Amino acid sequence: MCTMSHSSQALLASAADAVTAARAYVHEFARCVATELVDGGRIDPRRADNQQRRLHGLSWAATLVETLAATLDWASRLAASGRLGEAEALVLRIGLGEYLAQLAFGIPMSQNEVLRPSEIGLHGPAAVLAADASFQYFQAEGNNPANRRALIDAIVAGATVDERLDDETLDMVRDQFRRFGAERVAPHAHDWHLADQLIPDDVVGEMAELGVFGVCIDPEYGGLGLGKLAMAIVSEELSRAWIAAGSLGTRSEIAGELISLAGTSEQKRRFLPGIASGKILPTAVFTEPDTGSDLAAVRTRASRDADGTWRISGNKTWITHASRSDLMTVLARTAEGARGYEGLSMFLAAKARGTEADPFPSDGLDGGEIHVLGYRGMREYELSFENFAVLGDSLLGGEEGRGFKQLMQTFEGARIQTAARAIGVAWKAFDLGLRYALERRQFGRQIVEFPRVHDKLAMMLTETVMARELTYVAAREKDKGHRCDIEAGMAKLLAARVAWGNADTSLQIHGGNGYALEFEISRVLCDARILNIFEGAAEIQAHVIGRGLLARRQ
């Protein structure tokens, strides 16, 4: 049995005290917000909209606290097995020092929106937090220049930050997909990005052989049945090579979960084996022009012919991988006159796979490509349906009017996977920044030796580890069968911020070269920017988290 050193025990004890103090602060934060937004035991939607800054601030504060707790849990597990080394201890010190300071003095909700406690009447609770002995310890011994320098010096000397999961299968999954990404994706990703090419079919085929498209599908239908934590690891490692590779499985994950949870026995037999094997490539067809995250405003309609065939008409937008897909999960309105989420149904709509010459060969379906800054490799489209024929037995679960509820069941998994993709992008930005800082020399020395450079790298590394651990917490909760909508939302909210921050910071380390298309960081910057938008924009995500937190208090 491994025993912890006295210094490790003291560090973890101080961290535990700090998390307790931070939780008490967020409790006061939630009480303050509830006073303004809750009436008669219910959240007033109008007040919540008018007080977004207050509500979203609560979301960010709670997210930071849960990140502190997840990081402490990670460090405690390492210490218990004798693996809490210098680098890991420095990550804990720096991370707690920074996020505690954000809680007490100002939370950056975006680049130009800092929520300060005084503006919402929390000066007193913030002062109590700042006066706590554990808080003061991490301000003095946590995120300081010496620790940031020591962390990067250790990494340059060959140290790594422990990422083992104490599960042989999951550690093997990470090793396998990191090796695949490094060998088959990363060397070509930038060329594919610059040429705006689809990920080559042979690479897609190799991903299918590795089980990318069936990670969570039951082995009965040809999947791996490994769960959301395994899915997060696969997404993280593939996205570290290129976000397109990590995202290729997203649509299969969504379709697979929709069918597994809500499909009929026949639909499961018909579609799941093909999705798991990669023979069927799905795409998610939900978003419409002018609706964005407001799915209650969906206008696309589906009506039934006398012979039972469904006919879909309407417009969809931001549909990823639409041309090369074989199956569309389409959200459409089937009840005439129904409003909001009522009358929305989900269809499993088969289509012919497109080609470069003829991207949409199926009758009743047309599309135009949306040219984008990044997130290439699959391509984005606007789709137009005009009496597009769908088999009568393709209504998901054979039930009308349950489309939104069926889709809601996939949100947790989708947001966990998006958070994992963001972690992969954040790692890639750090990898590129560190490599450039070691290679580039200015004024007779490597630029990694300059304080402002190793400061940047230290924070990039620390925040990536912390966001990773928060994401893994959400995935573990999902695998236990627990509701984790708030946890998944928090993971996505933070990981997207970290990915963008890392990409922007890494480009700054590159200087002028980072702005040149030939350097990979230019791609990573473009790829990172989308993560704060899709699967729920950061503002929508914060709103949902805040409402969920207040609802839990009632």
Side-chain angles (χ1 to χ4, degrees):
M1 178 180 291
C2 295
T3 58
M4 284 186 276
S5 68
H6 179 72
S7 60
S8 293
Q9 289 177 333
L11 174 61
L12 294 175
S14 294
D17 289 344
V19 170
T20 298
R23 285 197 188 284
Y25 172 67
V26 169
H27 177 79
E28 288 301 307
F29 202 139
R31 186 191 60 77
C32 176
V33 174
T35 299
E36 295 289 331
L37 304 186
V38 176
D39 185 16
R42 294 188 176 184
I43 301 165
D44 186 317
R46 183 171 297 178
R47 292 184 192 175
D49 285 344
N50 291 338
Q51 295 287 335
Q52 281 186 357
R53 188 172 176 85
R54 185 180 296 264
L55 181 63
H56 297 188
L58 171 62
S59 301
W60 273 108
T63 295
L64 295 184
V65 172
E66 293 310 311
T67 305
L68 295 177
T71 307
L72 171 60
D73 183 64
W74 164 74
S76 299
R77 285 186 282 110
L78 293 181
S81 59
R83 305 200 320 262
L84 184 66
E86 178 191 11
E88 292 81 13
L90 286 167
V91 165
L92 180 65
R93 288 178 180 276
I94 295 168
L96 263 68
E98 175 58 29
Y99 282 10
L100 286 168
Q102 289 186 18
L103 285 167
F105 305 129
I107 300 171
M109 298 194 296
S110 73
Q111 287 91 329
N112 66 352
E113 296 172 287
V114 178
L115 184 89
R116 295 181 175 85
S118 58
E119 71 177 270
I120 55 174
L122 284 173
H123 176 74
V128 171
L129 174 61
D132 187 270
S134 62
F135 181 97
Q136 293 182 4
Y137 170 81
F138 281 104
Q139 294 312 293
E141 304 296 334
N143 186 19
N144 59 43
N147 283 343
R148 293 191 295 268
R149 176 62 187 260
L151 176 58
I152 297 307
D153 283 349
I155 297 298
V156 170
T160 58
V161 176
D162 198 295
E163 61 192 4
R164 284 171 287 177
L165 291 153
D166 299 318
D167 181 301
E168 185 177 353
T169 298
L170 294 176
D171 288 336
M172 286 175 56
V173 167
R174 185 189 298 283
D175 290 343
Q176 182 180 42
F177 282 95
R178 179 170 297 175
R179 185 165 54 252
F180 175 81
E183 294 174 357
R184 295 293 292 123
V185 178
H188 313 288
H190 202 57
D191 288 338
W192 294 336
H193 162 82
L194 291 175
D196 196 13
Q197 291 179 244
L198 292 171
I199 298 176
D201 287 332
D202 61 336
V203 176
V204 176
E206 291 177 48
M207 291 171 65
E209 290 177 6
L210 290 172
V212 169
F213 306 115
V215 173
C216 295
I217 293 176
D218 195 288
E220 177 184 354
Y221 300 105
L224 300 179
L226 291 178
K228 300 303 182 184
L229 183 54
M231 176 269 291
I233 294 165
V234 170
S235 300
E236 176 187 339
E237 293 303 331
L238 290 176
S239 297
R240 191 169 186 166
W242 186 25
I243 193 175
S247 299
L248 193 60
T250 304
R251 273 129 290 279
S252 296
E253 168 70 16
I254 293 171
E257 190 162 28
L258 277 170
I259 297 167
S260 295
L261 293 174
T264 64
S265 297
E266 173 57 29
Q267 287 169 345
K268 292 176 184 178
R269 288 193 295 269
R270 187 194 314 169
F271 294 114
L272 289 180
I275 293 172
S277 69
K279 291 180 180 178
I280 296 176
L281 296 178
T283 187
V285 185
F286 309 141
T287 307
E288 296 188 357
D290 302 322
T291 63
S293 297
D294 185 10
L295 294 178
V298 164
R299 300 178 187 176
T300 297
R301 296 195 172 274
S303 57
R304 204 163 195 173
D305 291 346
D307 65 358
T309 301
W310 289 94
R311 299 281 178 175
I312 298 177
S313 295
N315 299 303
K316 298 287 186 177
T317 192
W318 292 110
I319 309 305
T320 305
H321 211 208
S323 175
R324 192 164 53 172
S325 63
D326 310 291
L327 176 70
M328 300 179 290
T329 51
V330 183
L331 190 66
R333 195 170 295 281
T334 54
E336 192 68 34
R339 296 182 178 180
Y341 300 121
E342 295 179 7
L344 291 177
S345 300
M346 187 69 69
F347 291 89
L348 305 174
K351 61 176 278 294
R353 186 177 292 198
T355 64
E356 289 285 348
D358 188 5
F360 295 100
S362 298
D363 292 338
L365 176 64
D366 198 7
E369 185 177 354
I370 302 171
H371 296 284
V372 291
L373 294 171
Y375 196 58
R376 298 176 179 179
M378 295 172 292
R379 297 183 181 165
E380 304 292 323
Y381 292 91
E382 293 180 342
L383 298 184
S384 175
F385 293 87
E386 187 172 353
N387 291 320
F388 178 78
V390 181
L391 294 177
D393 60 355
S394 294
L395 183 67
L396 181 63
E399 297 181 273
E400 287 188 53
R402 296 190 57 81
F404 180 73
K405 292 181 179 179
Q406 291 165 341
L407 183 58
M408 282 285 288
Q409 291 180 292
T410 71
F411 280 177
E412 292 176 348
R415 284 169 181 162
I416 291 168
Q417 191 185 55
T418 299
R421 287 184 283 170
I423 301 305
V425 172
W427 278 126
K428 184 66 173 181
F430 172 76
D431 293 341
L432 293 173
L434 177 61
R435 185 177 71 188
Y436 190 85
L438 291 170
E439 293 174 351
R440 179 70 168 172
R441 298 184 68 86
Q442 287 280 275
F443 308 107
R445 53 179 172 160
Q446 295 170 309
I447 65 171
V448 73
E449 296 180 25
F450 292 107
R452 290 291 303 281
V453 174
H454 57 243
D455 277 356
K456 289 177 172 63
L457 291 167
M459 289 310 305
M460 292 164 69
L461 174 58
T462 296
E463 287 201 278
T464 303
V465 172
M466 296 176 78
R468 180 192 71 192
E469 292 308 312
L470 182 65
T471 301
Y472 289 178
V473 166
R476 290 187 181 101
E477 288 300 298
K478 185 69 174 175
D479 284 339
K480 293 174 185 175
H482 298 165
R483 179 176 176 177
C484 63
D485 54 334
I486 292 177
E487 292 79 2
M490 288 177 170
K492 194 267 183 186
L493 184 69
L494 179 67
R497 184 181 84 173
V498 171
W500 172 248
N502 278 15
D504 189 36
T505 300
S506 185
L507 192 146
Q508 186 71 21
I509 291 171
H510 282 71
N513 284 336
Y515 205 62
L517 289 178
E518 67 183 275
F519 280 79
E520 285 189 85
I521 191 58
S522 67
R523 177 191 84 242
V524 175
L525 184 83
C526 293
D527 290 344
R529 192 60 190 87
I530 193 62
L531 289 159
N532 260 314
I533 298 173
F534 65 17
E535 293 294 346
E539 294 77 11
I540 295 292
Q541 202 69 68
H543 206 75
V544 171
I545 293 167
R547 288 177 61 96
L549 290 168
L550 293 181
R552 283 186 180 181
R553 287 176 52 87
Q554 305 310 309

